[in-house]
């Protein structure tokens, strides 16, 4: 199964990056620009909304939330996202920064939509 992979160097300490990927307020800041519903805690789920949509664009269950890794299982959203996993692995980088290894894994097939998602994830 194909995966989306990104390696990103961030000029912020790992704890600060973790805070942005492990809370609904943090995720809203960099991803949706709009409040999320639900809870970001292991075993819980949250939903992301874009624009003025009344229905969530995606719903994720939190599978793991440690200082070094956050993992989501997609349970709602675009058909090709259902069942995929999104993970953020954090490593202390040079000079107090962070190396973020991002993976959106287990796509059923590579597609034009997947390519667009890869571009969007990299931009976020």
């Amino acid at each position: 199964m194909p995966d989306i992979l990104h390696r990103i160097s961030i000029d912020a300490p790992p704890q600060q990056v973790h805070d942005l990927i492990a809370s609904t307020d943090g995720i809203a800041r960099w991803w949706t620009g709009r409040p999320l519903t639900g809870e970001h805690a292991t075993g819980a789920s949250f939903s992301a909304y874009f624009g003025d949509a009344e229905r969530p664009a995606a719903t994720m269950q939190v599978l793991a939330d440690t200082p070094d890794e956050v993992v989501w299982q997609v349970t709602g959203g675009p058909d090709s996202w259902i069942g995929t996993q999104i993970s953020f692995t954090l490593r202390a980088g040079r000079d107090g920064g962070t190396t973020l290894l991002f993976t959106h894994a287990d796509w059923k097939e590579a597609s034009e939509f997947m390519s667009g998602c890869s571009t969007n994830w990299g931009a976020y």
Side-chain angles (χ1 to χ4, degrees):
M1 294 184 158
D3 300 338
I4 294 171
L5 305 169
H6 291 283
R7 180 182 179 273
I8 303 165
S9 297
I10 301 170
D11 188 21
Q15 181 60 48
Q16 187 176 354
V17 176
H18 179 268
D19 292 347
L20 289 170
I21 59 174
S23 72
T24 54
D25 290 342
I27 296 164
R29 286 182 56 199
W30 63 266
W31 191 23
T32 65
R34 168 175 177 187
L36 282 67
T37 59
E39 180 182 359
H40 193 287
T42 302
S45 293
F46 66 92
S47 295
Y49 299 78
F50 291 91
D52 59 359
E54 293 181 25
R55 294 182 53 203
T59 299
M60 273 68 83
Q61 180 183 19
V62 181
L63 299 182
D65 182 357
T66 68
D68 299 329
E69 185 174 50
V70 172
V71 181
W72 306 333
Q73 178 81 37
V74 181
T75 59
D79 288 342
S80 55
W81 277 35
I82 305 294
T84 61
Q85 282 192 4
I86 298 170
S87 64
F88 305 83
T89 302
L90 305 175
R91 295 189 181 149
R94 296 182 187 189
D95 301 321
T98 303
T99 298
L100 169 67
L101 302 175
F102 171 88
T103 304
H104 190 164
D106 300 330
W107 289 70
K108 292 177 185 115
E109 63 182 2
S111 66
E112 185 175 334
F113 179 67
M114 181 184 169
S115 295
C117 290
S118 180
T119 300
N120 290 338
W121 279 125
Y124 292 126

